[in-house]
Amino acid sequence: MGKKKSVVLMVLLTIVIVVLTAITVFPAFPIPGTVKKWNPVVLQYDLGSDLGGGYYAYYYPEGVLSETEYNSNLAVLDGDEKKEYEESYVQIDGSALYFSTDEKLGLTENGALTREFKDEFSAVAKEIAARFEAKGYSDYRVAVVEGYALKVELPASEASDKVSAAFSLLANTGELSLSKGEAKIDPADYVEDEADISDLIANVSIGSYYNTAYLKIEWTEAGKVMIDEVKESLSTTSEVNSGSGTTLDVYVGEEKLVTICKDHVIDNGEIRVLPVDGYNADLLKTYEILIDSALKTGGFDVTFEAGAVRYFEPAYGENVLTLLYIALAITLLAILVLPAVKMGRFGVVSGYSTLSYLIVVAMCFAFITNGTFEITLGSVFIFLLGLVLVNAVQYAIYNAIKTEFNLGKTVESSVKGGYKKTLWGVIDLYAVLLLGGLALLIGGAGVYTLALQALIVVVTCAFVNLLWARAINFTYLSASKNKYKYFRFVREDDDDE
């Protein structure tokens, strides 16, 4: 490649990398002439609860009170009412929870919880955790507290209204049912043997229609018969919106989730409920998860009441993002300056590689995977490991080139030899890291998010070290007048050059 072309490419590459770096990390500032603010890519992430705080709520089985609520209720009573209230609740197994003596809680005559209740509670706890996992929250926590209550945590990056809906709806452990108007649909009317709702509803999922998400309900053969029978008596969406009309309603427990009108039924009996009139895509996803769960489990006898939603601060303090931003800026500056001091212009190439890695990983985290997971402190740690790895490999390549040069070879020959001798070692390194990331991605329950982030980092590092940095180096080297100085090499006899 000619020197003029190399110089032009260098200038263009520098401009592109500087602009993309600014878009990625330059601190937020007001846009002149507008009320808007410029926000870099790294400030647009959904943050995990350790960096951004979050929301939490307690789920108590029906008839179970926290110690705070019990004492609060007791404080306003006196006399016989207070005594009667005290006798209507008991504490079990040293728990701070108060259990109603109502038979539906499954208390034995001795005031202990039955094995059936304990087993049912364990099953419900697992199912609720599975619901939040299905919702797509990568950073969430469902924990059993005080033996028989649940504490659910979600990151604050989620919109507060969506969080509130998720907390309240996903706590519902009731039975799935259908009602036409005020009359409940009996599956036994359409199936000869003993029947339940799963004999009518085959599947529920999220579909797409002209880029708009909708809730899709598919029916069994018996369910199609039921739909054919009732659809003509259903009202249209416009009639229902006007305040009158008959609908087919989907319930989980006492909660009406979906209202089905005549125009929701398509030719094959499939139901398409579009996100209109109060529905939205996120809410429909929650409905899908809840209906699917109730369809598969048949509902539970243990029902929960979700407590108030509360906010908690980031685990590392409210200033953690500012401190982290400063620390990353210092680290990045050091990684850009030190290679240039140690390796000359080849170190500048490493700086370009570092910025390229930063840009690619930041963009991938923001625009490819941001809907899948939040950024946590673990994400930052993995990013920094990749940053170190990119520069460590570049340093190893530099040393290999220097070794070749010390054997008396020309600079061009040394560069080719250094890259050739390190090629398979670098490939082996990234192959092992890639396989490790895939193994965690496939089988590592609880580390799926970090495994996915690690794969992004590994693939980006491999691209930078094996292709991108090499291409930049050859471009810059072609434009260099003094190739010794390019690498900070010194040789008394320069006849080879």
Side-chain angles (χ1 to χ4, degrees):
M1 182 183 295
K3 288 188 177 181
K4 289 184 177 180
K5 289 184 178 179
S6 297
V7 170
V8 171
L9 284 176
M10 287 169 54
V11 173
L12 291 176
L13 180 62
T14 301
I15 292 173
V16 170
I17 287 184
V18 168
V19 170
L20 289 178
T21 301
I23 291 174
T24 304
V25 301
F26 199 89
F29 63 88
I31 299 176
T34 71
V35 295
K36 298 181 179 179
K37 290 186 67 176
W38 159 255
N39 284 312
V41 171
V42 295
L43 293 184
Q44 297 181 35
Y45 294 130
D46 284 346
L47 299 176
S49 56
D50 56 347
L51 297 179
Y55 302 98
Y56 71 94
Y58 289 99
Y59 291 175
Y60 298 103
E62 185 180 0
V64 175
L65 302 179
S66 67
E67 187 174 28
T68 300
E69 186 176 2
Y70 174 82
N71 290 333
S72 176
N73 293 340
L74 194 63
V76 298
L77 301 175
D78 55 24
D80 292 340
E81 288 184 340
K82 183 175 183 179
K83 183 178 180 181
E84 182 180 350
Y85 186 81
E86 289 176 327
E87 292 175 350
S88 64
Y89 285 92
V90 296
Q91 287 182 291
I92 298 173
D93 300 332
S95 171
L97 302 177
Y98 285 80
F99 294 77
S100 170
T101 54
D102 193 316
E103 292 182 1
K104 63 184 177 183
L105 272 179
L107 291 174
T108 66
E109 293 181 357
N110 297 326
L113 290 174
T114 63
R115 171 54 57 186
E116 290 77 12
F117 176 86
K118 293 180 179 180
D119 291 343
E120 182 92 346
F121 177 86
S122 297
V124 173
K126 291 179 181 178
E127 185 61 27
I128 288 179
R131 292 175 179 180
F132 280 96
E133 183 176 0
K135 191 71 169 67
Y137 301 120
S138 62
D139 186 24
Y140 72 95
R141 183 170 176 261
V142 178
V144 177
V145 293
E146 295 295 341
Y148 302 102
L150 298 179
K151 183 180 181 181
V152 182
E153 297 179 0
L154 294 177
S157 56
E158 300 295 329
S160 59
D161 58 335
K162 294 180 180 180
V163 167
S164 297
F167 274 130
S168 62
L169 289 170
L170 296 181
N172 190 334
T173 60
E175 181 183 12
L176 180 65
S177 62
L178 294 169
S179 292
K180 179 191 171 188
E182 299 297 325
K184 186 174 181 179
I185 299 292
D186 186 356
D189 292 340
Y190 302 94
V191 181
E192 293 182 359
D193 300 324
E194 289 188 13
D196 58 32
I197 197 65
S198 63
D199 291 301
L200 298 182
I201 299 178
N203 185 48
V204 59
S205 60
I206 298 293
S208 179
Y209 183 73
Y210 288 105
N211 296 321
T212 301
Y214 65 85
L215 185 68
K216 178 169 68 174
I217 301 176
E218 299 175 75
W219 306 91
T220 63
E221 292 304 316
K224 291 178 181 179
V225 172
M226 183 273 296
I227 283 294
D228 286 339
E229 180 180 301
V230 304
K231 69 179 181 180
E232 292 305 321
S233 60
L234 299 180
S235 304
T236 64
T237 303
S238 59
E239 291 172 329
V240 172
N241 288 342
S242 67
S244 61
T246 302
T247 59
L248 182 65
D249 301 315
V250 180
Y251 284 82
V252 173
E254 301 299 319
E255 183 88 28
K256 181 167 71 173
L257 301 183
V258 179
T259 296
I260 301 172
C261 302
K262 182 187 297 184
D263 41 352
H264 291 148
V265 183
I266 60 177
D267 292 341
N268 62 358
E270 179 184 300
I271 300 295
R272 291 182 178 178
V273 181
L274 295 170
V276 294
D277 301 323
Y279 296 123
N280 58 63
D282 184 80
L283 188 60
L284 289 182
K285 178 63 178 178
T286 303
Y287 287 170
E288 178 216 0
I289 293 168
L290 184 55
I291 294 171
D292 183 67
S293 173
L295 183 65
K296 292 176 179 177
T297 63
F300 295 92
D301 292 332
V302 174
T303 58
F304 281 100
E305 295 178 359
V309 178
R310 296 179 174 88
Y311 174 77
F312 63 89
E313 296 287 344
Y316 304 102
E318 60 181 7
N319 296 321
V320 62
L321 286 181
T322 301
L323 296 175
L324 191 60
Y325 202 86
I326 293 172
L328 288 174
I330 294 172
T331 302
L332 187 61
L333 182 62
I335 289 179
L336 290 175
V337 172
L338 291 178
V341 173
K342 181 70 176 177
M343 298 182 290
R345 294 181 185 176
F346 186 85
V348 176
V349 170
S350 294
Y352 277 73
S353 302
T354 295
L355 293 177
S356 299
Y357 165 82
L358 168 68
I359 292 165
V360 172
V361 172
M363 295 290 186
C364 286
F365 278 15
F367 303 118
I368 295 179
T369 59
N370 199 32
T372 306
F373 56 72
E374 291 82 17
I375 302 301
T376 65
L377 197 61
S379 311
V380 176
F381 181 70
I382 287 175
F383 168 80
L384 289 176
L385 286 180
L387 201 60
V388 172
L389 183 60
V390 165
N391 284 274
V393 170
Q394 285 296 102
Y395 187 67
I397 293 172
Y398 173 80
N399 281 335
I401 295 172
K402 187 175 182 179
T403 300
E404 294 292 301
F405 179 78
N406 289 336
L407 294 176
K409 297 181 180 180
T410 65
V411 173
E412 289 85 350
S413 179
S414 299
V415 171
K416 292 179 181 178
Y419 274 118
K420 184 176 181 180
K421 289 189 176 181
T422 56
L423 177 63
W424 286 107
V426 175
I427 291 176
D428 288 343
L429 170 66
Y430 285 119
V432 170
L433 292 175
L434 185 63
L435 290 174
L438 288 172
L440 288 176
L441 187 65
I442 295 171
V447 294
Y448 176 87
T449 295
L450 289 179
L452 191 58
Q453 293 169 336
L455 284 175
I456 291 173
V457 167
V458 169
V459 171
T460 304
C461 287
F463 167 74
V464 168
N465 285 139
L466 292 172
L467 296 174
W468 184 240
R470 180 179 296 200
I472 298 174
N473 184 49
F474 279 114
T475 301
Y476 275 37
L477 189 59
S478 298
S480 178
K481 293 180 180 180
N482 188 334
K483 293 181 172 54
Y484 287 173
K485 188 176 181 180
Y486 182 92
F487 289 99
R488 291 187 181 273
F489 290 164
V490 177
R491 178 186 288 169
E492 294 297 331
D493 182 11
D494 60 355
D495 291 341
D496 288 338
E497 299 300 315

